[in-house]
Amino acid sequence: LDKSKAEYIHFDVMDGDFVPNLTFGPQFISNLRLQTKKVFDVHLMINRVSKYINNYIEAGSDIITFHLEIDENLHDLIKYIKNKNIKVGLAIKPNTNWELMKKYLSLIDQVIVMTVEPGFGGQSFKNDQIDKIKNIHNFIKENQLNVNIEIDGGINYETGKLCLDAGANILVA
């Protein structure tokens, strides 16, 4: 793991509730934490983030991203994670209006733009998300914010270039 050129190891955590599929939990991340010093970028595609957040913090997450669409107090979650000296991000589904994220962008370290519907691997890249990436990038730039834009879903050499050209700086592949 440490010899790979990847800067981050991205974990897609799914609970079978927020998204239909179920993957792994904090124990898996904790076990891998013993094997590498790479940045652990943990993408929580789960409901009840506040109930489980300490498990993911204790597992060794360096960045924790949860979804804008969950039904919890996002300000409180952001503040809590930041107070644990962990970077925090918000993820956004393809059909969600990016402008709902504006009020949080000054508080977070990264945005994950989902370019597929979360929950299933192997989907085709949704080209209509390029405008969303551009809009988020322009808002971040205009407001002089220090926020990474990460793209998750359907990334290959062609779609990756489109995303980078639109303003993204992290690609999940």
Side-chain angles (χ1 to χ4, degrees):
L1 290 169
D2 286 333
K3 292 179 183 177
S4 79
K5 292 183 181 181
E7 295 177 44
Y8 293 3
I9 298 176
H10 182 86
F11 295 91
D12 279 337
V13 177
M14 303 178 210
D15 65 358
D17 186 21
F18 183 76
V19 295
N21 279 331
L22 180 65
T23 56
F24 43 80
Q27 186 62 52
F28 179 79
I29 294 168
S30 180
N31 290 345
L32 279 179
R33 179 80 283 166
L34 301 173
Q35 306 302 316
T36 182
K37 296 190 184 322
K38 293 278 186 175
V39 173
F40 277 18
D41 179 26
V42 178
H43 177 191
L44 299 178
M45 291 179 266
I46 68 172
N47 284 316
R48 299 173 308 281
V49 171
S50 58
K51 180 177 179 179
Y52 298 106
I53 194 64
N54 282 324
N55 300 97
Y56 290 98
I57 291 169
E58 292 167 9
S61 304
D62 297 298
I63 306 166
I64 297 176
T65 300
F66 54 89
H67 271 263
L68 178 69
E69 299 89 357
I70 64 171
D71 187 22
E72 293 191 57
N73 186 316
L74 303 187
H75 280 105
D76 287 352
L77 279 170
I78 292 166
K79 184 178 177 182
Y80 185 81
I81 295 167
K82 285 268 194 187
N83 284 339
K84 298 291 186 178
N85 294 317
I86 294 176
K87 291 183 178 181
V88 63
L90 280 177
I92 185 169
K93 291 180 178 183
N95 292 328
T96 301
N97 184 333
W98 78 272
E99 291 189 6
L100 297 172
M101 185 175 274
K102 281 183 177 180
K103 63 183 174 183
Y104 303 105
L105 287 172
S106 65
L107 307 173
I108 62 174
D109 301 292
Q110 78 175 19
V111 170
I112 295 180
V113 177
M114 295 297 303
T115 48
V116 299
E117 276 304 318
F120 297 96
Q123 296 178 67
S124 296
F125 182 87
K126 291 181 176 284
N127 283 303
D128 61 349
Q129 297 305 294
I130 294 296
D131 284 339
K132 184 184 285 183
I133 297 165
K134 287 179 185 176
N135 288 332
I136 294 170
H137 171 75
N138 289 337
F139 183 86
I140 289 169
K141 188 174 179 180
E142 289 166 9
N143 291 278
Q144 300 177 345
L145 302 174
N146 185 23
V147 179
N148 289 313
I149 300 174
E150 181 172 331
I151 310 304
D152 189 356
I155 296 298
N156 58 36
Y157 288 110
E158 180 184 318
T159 60
K161 180 172 180 357
L162 292 172
C163 293
L164 294 173
D165 290 346
N169 62 325
I170 301 171
L171 303 175
V172 176

